[in-house]
Amino acid sequence: MSYAEIHPNWDREPAYITEGFSAEITAKDIEGLHAAAPKLPPDTPIAVTFLPGETLEARLAAAKEVRALGFEPMPHFSARRFKSEAELKTMVERMAREAGAKRCFCIAGDNPQPEGPYSETAMLIETGLFEANGIKAIGIAGHPQGHANMTEEECFTVLEKKCAMIHARGMKPLIVTQFGFDPDAYLQWLVVLRRRGIDAPVRIGVPGPTSIKALLRFAARCGVEASASVMSKYGVSLTRLIGTAGPDKMVDAFAKGFGGEHGRVRLHFYPFGGLLKTAEWIEDYNRRH
């Protein structure tokens, strides 16, 4: 199986920096998905996050709507939030059967302690449930700006292990990074990733347009560096927190900086200001460039 089977644009260079982007929604964002749908290219991958307090039925409804609108659902599976193997099995089976999911995103989750038998991403992959239900690709997390509980070396070692596990089960790995504000950190991380022989496609996390205060709030919640020097690269001054900020400077830097040494790369948008605003920003950015 080639990456072109997952999405045809993985086997060629992007015609422009935002081509082949992906985005994400929560189970509560169906209305926003409908509003944004006319501005999203067909087959756009849309991840459906796994937040506490949301039911399987709500997540499934969102994934089914993604499929019905002509996009590709990529449901999240948060290892530490599953209370049993049966709960995981039910979610994988129903996402594949009812929403037509062909790709999934597996994370450990931010719970300090697991609610059931799974404490890490690898344990989900090892169940064999994904390939048994026709899943073609597994997304895993990349951490260009570090991880609170692992060294840089440990982060790369874990990525190597997960990629090998996914390949061994007949699926393809896809790396999706946390959002950030420093394009240089991402470009350098990609070079190291490729030098280590990890050739999986990477989706670089980019914040969608939102208020500066909201941006900083999400950064604090997710442990993303937002120092004055880093935010200045993003085009934000911490002395002026009024107004909104879009990722123009960051995406410009990627457009200029991406090269063969970075391998297969596309953008993944975190639509903190809503999916419609992000879709409108992408449309406007493409028009201006």
Side-chain angles (χ1 to χ4, degrees):
M1 182 181 65
S2 72
Y3 278 105
E5 292 181 57
I6 301 168
H7 199 288
N9 67 25
W10 278 126
D11 278 358
R12 62 173 175 79
E13 293 286 324
Y16 47 91
I17 188 62
T18 62
E19 186 193 22
F21 73 87
S22 59
E24 62 184 54
I25 61 171
T26 72
K28 299 176 182 177
D29 290 338
I30 293 179
E31 185 177 340
L33 174 65
H34 275 268
K39 298 181 179 295
L40 300 174
D43 300 323
T44 296
I46 303 291
V48 179
T49 60
F50 194 120
L51 298 182
E54 294 178 347
T55 64
L56 168 58
E57 295 301 329
R59 297 184 192 109
L60 185 61
K64 289 167 68 174
E65 205 62 29
V66 169
R67 172 62 71 198
L69 289 168
F71 310 123
E72 281 290 332
M74 187 173 185
H76 283 205
F77 290 77
S78 182
R80 294 175 188 168
R81 294 195 187 281
F82 285 103
K83 295 179 173 62
S84 67
E85 181 181 355
E87 184 182 5
L88 171 65
K89 185 174 186 287
T90 297
M91 183 171 173
V92 176
E93 290 176 346
R94 293 191 66 187
M95 283 292 182
R97 183 178 66 249
E98 298 177 36
K102 297 296 183 185
R103 66 194 82 186
C104 299
F105 183 70
C106 295
I107 53 173
D110 54 8
N111 298 35
Q113 297 296 326
E115 297 178 26
Y118 310 112
S119 60
E120 58 184 44
T121 305
M123 296 176 75
L124 297 183
I125 299 168
E126 287 173 334
T127 63
L129 288 168
F130 294 99
E131 67 267 31
N133 284 279
I135 301 303
K136 303 296 185 185
I138 297 289
I140 51 178
H143 301 92
Q145 294 183 294
H147 190 285
N149 300 316
M150 291 190 288
T151 65
E152 181 181 19
E153 178 62 27
E154 287 171 335
C155 284
F156 281 120
T157 299
V158 167
L159 271 180
E160 289 166 344
K161 175 186 175 184
K162 291 176 184 174
C163 286
M165 290 174 61
I166 294 165
H167 276 300
R169 293 181 173 277
M171 300 178 288
K172 292 289 188 183
L174 170 67
I175 299 169
V176 184
T177 78
Q178 177 60 281
F179 74 94
F181 306 107
D182 184 356
D184 295 332
Y186 286 83
L187 292 169
Q188 293 164 11
W189 177 82
L190 282 166
V191 170
V192 176
L193 183 82
R194 302 314 184 192
R195 285 177 179 170
R196 293 185 68 111
I198 301 175
D199 66 351
V202 174
R203 289 194 174 277
I204 294 291
V206 176
T210 189
S211 73
I212 296 172
K213 288 183 178 179
L215 207 56
L216 295 174
R217 187 169 64 249
F218 281 113
R221 183 184 303 171
C222 299
V224 172
E225 183 183 359
S227 64
S229 61
V230 165
M231 295 309 292
S232 67
K233 291 184 180 183
Y234 192 74
V236 169
S237 170
L238 295 187
T239 62
R240 299 179 63 184
L241 300 181
I242 298 174
T244 61
D248 298 69
K249 290 185 70 173
M250 187 172 194
V251 174
D252 284 347
F254 289 143
K256 294 175 183 176
F258 283 153
E261 70 272 26
H262 300 113
R264 289 171 288 196
V265 186
R266 295 293 191 276
L267 304 182
H268 176 76
F269 286 91
Y270 292 84
F272 298 132
L275 186 57
L276 176 60
K277 285 186 178 179
T278 294
E280 289 174 338
W281 180 90
I282 294 169
E283 190 176 64
D284 180 63
Y285 183 90
N286 291 341
R287 187 166 47 245
R288 289 185 284 113
H289 294 79

